[in-house]
Amino acid sequence: MIDMRPVGYVIGLLLCVLGLTMAGPLVADIAVGNGHWPVFLESATLCLAVGVLLSLACQGGMGGGGLTLRQTFLLTTLVWIVLPLFGSIPFMLGAPEADLTDALFEAMSGITTTGSTVFTGLQDLPAGIQLWRGILQWLGGIGIIVMAMVFLPELKVAGMQVFRSEAFETMGKILPRAAEIASGIAVFYVGLTVLCAICYILSGMDTFSATVHAMTTLSTGGFANTDASFGAYGGAAHYVGTLFMILAALPFVRYIQLARGQAEPLWRDSQVRAFLLTILVCALLIGASLASYSHGFTEVAFRESLFNVVSIMSGTGYASADYMQWGPFPVAMFFFIGLIGGCAGSTACSVKIFRYQILFACIGAQIRKIHAPHGVFTPRYEGRPITRDALSSVMAFFVVFIVGIGIVSVLLTLTGLDAVTAVTGAATALANVGPGLGEHIGPAGNFAGLNDPAKWILTLSMMIGRLEMLVVLVVVTRRFWQG
Amino acid sequence: MIDMRPVGYVIGLLLCVLGLTMAGPLVADIAVGNGHWPVFLESATLCLAVGVLLSLACQGGMGGGGLTLRQTFLLTTLVWIVLPLFGSIPFMLGAPEADLTDALFEAMSGITTTGSTVFTGLQDLPAGIQLWRGILQWLGGIGIIVMAMVFLPELKVAGMQVFRSEAFETMGKILPRAAEIASGIAVFYVGLTVLCAICYILSGMDTFSATVHAMTTLSTGGFANTDASFGAYGGAAHYVGTLFMILAALPFVRYIQLARGQAEPLWRDSQVRAFLLTILVCALLIGASLASYSHGFTEVAFRESLFNVVSIMSGTGYASADYMQWGPFPVAMFFFIGLIGGCAGSTACSVKIFRYQILFACIGAQIRKIHAPHGVFTPRYEGRPITRDALSSVMAFFVVFIVGIGIVSVLLTLTGLDAVTAVTGAATALANVGPGLGEHIGPAGNFAGLNDPAKWILTLSMMIGRLEMLVVLVVVTRRFWQG
Ligand SMILES: [K+]
Ligand SMILES: [K+]
């Protein structure tokens, strides 16, 4: 059997952190004076009580701070089940008075930074709940960076091993390293969030909305605190949002290097170049289409196009306009852009640029091999040869992702959803993007109208997608639990 | 430079064959007495003249019957350009009076056995043209089997090298071998077609329709000679169609073995087992959905479900009913079933069962490797280890196929098609299935209403799909034409 104590210990600590952050909404509700603060007091007490008891009970198992491979898998998976569960408590106790289905959907959508919402009338929710939705995404965001930089490379899943630095080889060091990286990253994550909030305020947003949006921008989460999302704000806010969504989707380790005076790694990172180039090309194409479709070649067409392309490709999912009305070309583009994604080591999601780069490098080598059957062609990523292991691993991710979209789509149609809602809902959940297509879950829509089975399927899909598909696939095998 | 003479020689011979088969429609038109026969006399004369001249002019280049790797690539690609061009002549000269766009679309759709049609009022076309559409598919069908058994394994593209038998190693033997295999296959292909026609006649079809449908069944092509497709026929014809579509989608080499008294290879072939099992499961699921949706658990629900599942999964594309009306679950299922496909070495198309088996075997090995990082796990297909080369090659096919659907979809939306028509049109063309989804190109629809640019994009997609994506990708590289 797997010794669950180290897993319980870490989860207990994380629950304590979750409970402590509930002080934010508590203070907000007191400050506004809406009388809603007891919800957060109760929720925080529950979180802290369970967290403290759990970590105390499990403390004995942490001999030397080491985690086995299985414990790491289990920890990674359970974190994305337990934290959403506890994060959903304020939604059940408080103002939205949601049932478990809706509350868990919203909390999972928050922590996985998917950003799909089942709540309507967001602007009428108490300040504390509005803030809590932002905090869930913001915590999820830094959790994702740490997971991508420390845990996934060690677990060698989904091709993340290409980001493994050889200096830290043993699993025993994983927790100290996680703490070290998290604190290094946190400086930039907090710093950029504050900077983003200031820029939003300068662009005309009120301080509270700026704070919430800064948190959901840096986490590429996409929760807004009005139903209109970014449609409610002007051009300046759109440019600020565009800039910080791009910054949030770049690899955070490059910022640490940048602060040490090394600008080169950032500009030479092929992920970054491909990401920026793809955004530029897509924004120009969609902008041109939008211009010919309606506005003419105006600043508005360029801005709307850029904002929404960045929003979808970084996986944020803010909408500044109902792009379902822009004609079939942008609609199809937005669907496929959502399947590209940002850079690994950021808060962005979906397939991610580097996996396409690895797959295309291998296809290139494959074609050269066909030309010269006896030649040896080594596909490379960032100058280093792509190992067979990494390639199989990326391929496994891609196939499971595509087949996963198929399976989830079909399951969703069984609950009665129409085909477009089902397919784009499956894709947006597994890719953690947020909006789908069609009138129901499109940029102007909302997930509130879906039936309960569909919400549960999507909740599970968001979790599986955030765990890069394969972590879950490993944990659910019988072999994992044996021997 | 590449010596084009051997390529020209083979294409010349194939044009002669195409010209000679035009005798069929010529005789049919004379027999019916519709006065349409001169169209086929002119077309046949043109084909034969060009064919004879081309092969005579190029005869000198065939020293010893050998083909280099490049010549083989070029031949494989050019066959699927030149034959559709000449095959489209009767459509331009004759009754449908089609322009080049429509005529080439129809001929490409025929020879690639896609089965999408741009003609309406099929039942009013002259008998010769109806027969010619069947003959195009029937010739395409045997061409596909020979290509899959001889050319693609030697070209080592798209994972087809797993079907390479080591006895024939040198490219020099490729033409004699192709002729030998073609004649071996032809016996069964002709035999099954005749048997199928007899069964159709017994099920109540008139002799002429039975002949045409037998040809488009065995080639999994799906052209019908009425707009109603199989909706015009009764239950017996549906069961006959189901049986022969399944037979057409199994590997033909197994029939040769069967005739030699070896039944085991057929039953032990994991492709065959997975194919039949998938059909059964999908037919039961869709049948149950259809039963609960409308008819109740009747024979009709089972039959309609089975017929259409087999039709889509084998890539035939006959429709016995407008399944767009069956609710979202069957609609989504049919879309994804079309992306599975039949067995390699048959006339079936799409991704094909064996590629999923190889990908899943590698994902399984990947997961076992995660459990035991120092273990060695060799993924196997049919008991033999999957080489790195074969795996990369299957992966390359899968990625190019998925990305190809994305690119073609987006291009189609640029021509003004709606998103559903664009995405399912791209998929159905690249997978050579035939019908898409939606009101325009769905099972009850027709490609006639599309604009010309969309038709050209789809014509090209059908060709690229039939050449397993990668053959075209190799031929269009600059390296191919250099040195
Ligand atoms: K998001
Ligand atoms: K077909």
Side-chain angles (χ1 to χ4, degrees), chain A residues 398-473:
Chain A
F398 191 75
V399 174
V400 173
F401 185 73
I402 298 291
V403 173
I405 291 179
I407 294 173
V408 174
S409 304
V410 167
L411 289 178
L412 287 174
T413 60
L414 273 181
T415 73
L417 299 193
D418 67 277
V420 170
T421 303
V423 174
T424 63
T428 205
L430 285 173
N432 299 122
V433 171
L437 296 177
E439 55 176 324
H440 303 298
I441 60 168
N446 188 290
F447 286 70
L450 303 191
N451 55 64
D452 279 7
K455 284 175 186 165
W456 280 99
I457 292 169
L458 289 169
T459 303
L460 202 63
S461 301
M462 291 189 273
M463 188 197 97
I464 293 172
R466 189 36 98 185
L467 284 165
E468 309 275 342
M469 315 297 294
L470 297 171
V471 175
V472 178
L473 213 57

Side-chain angles (χ1 to χ4, degrees), chain B residues 125-336:
Chain B
L125 289 175
I129 290 288
Q130 292 187 5
L131 185 59
W132 183 237
R133 291 170 76 249
I135 288 175
L136 281 176
Q137 294 209 317
W138 195 73
L139 289 177
I142 193 159
I144 288 154
I145 303 178
V146 173
M147 181 173 78
M149 289 181 68
V150 185
F151 289 85
L152 296 179
E154 293 297 328
L155 299 181
K156 295 193 187 175
V157 286
M160 295 299 289
Q161 55 264 55
V162 298
F163 299 106
R164 196 167 170 225
S165 56
E166 300 300 326
F168 301 85
E169 277 258 292
T170 54
M171 295 301 295
K173 290 187 182 146
I174 215 167
L175 282 185
R177 196 180 164 216
E180 182 197 326
I181 288 189
S183 57
I185 293 294
V187 176
F188 291 91
Y189 194 63
V190 173
L192 284 172
T193 307
V194 171
L195 197 62
C196 180
I198 294 171
C199 291
Y200 276 140
I201 293 170
L202 293 178
S203 78
M205 233 180 251
D206 67 272
T207 312
F208 180 76
S209 295
T211 309
V212 173
H213 281 105
M215 286 195 286
T216 62
T217 301
L218 261 296
S219 58
T220 65
F223 273 158
N225 57 2
T226 61
D227 287 350
S229 190
F230 262 66
Y233 302 109
H238 291 174
Y239 283 116
V240 171
T242 303
L243 174 67
F244 283 92
M245 286 191 282
I246 290 177
L247 290 176
L250 299 183
F252 270 65
V253 67
R254 301 290 175 229
Y255 297 143
I256 299 183
Q257 292 171 311
L258 195 64
R260 289 185 192 144
Q262 298 169 281
E264 214 182 303
L266 180 62
W267 296 120
R268 289 203 160 270
D269 191 327
S270 62
Q271 278 196 94
V272 174
R273 291 177 171 213
F275 177 67
L276 296 177
L277 187 67
T278 311
I279 285 177
L280 188 68
V281 171
C282 293
L284 287 177
L285 286 175
I286 293 179
S289 155
L290 186 57
S292 69
Y293 202 78
S294 55
H295 304 301
F297 286 92
T298 59
E299 183 268 344
V300 176
F302 172 75
R303 169 161 54 84
E304 293 279 20
S305 164
L306 183 66
F307 180 87
N308 288 285
V309 165
V310 169
S311 169
I312 297 298
M313 190 156 156
S314 67
T316 309
Y318 290 138
S320 72
D322 181 7
Y323 48 71
M324 290 302 295
Q325 309 302 323
W326 292 2
F329 171 70
V331 167
M333 283 288 280
F334 280 119
F335 178 70
F336 291 110

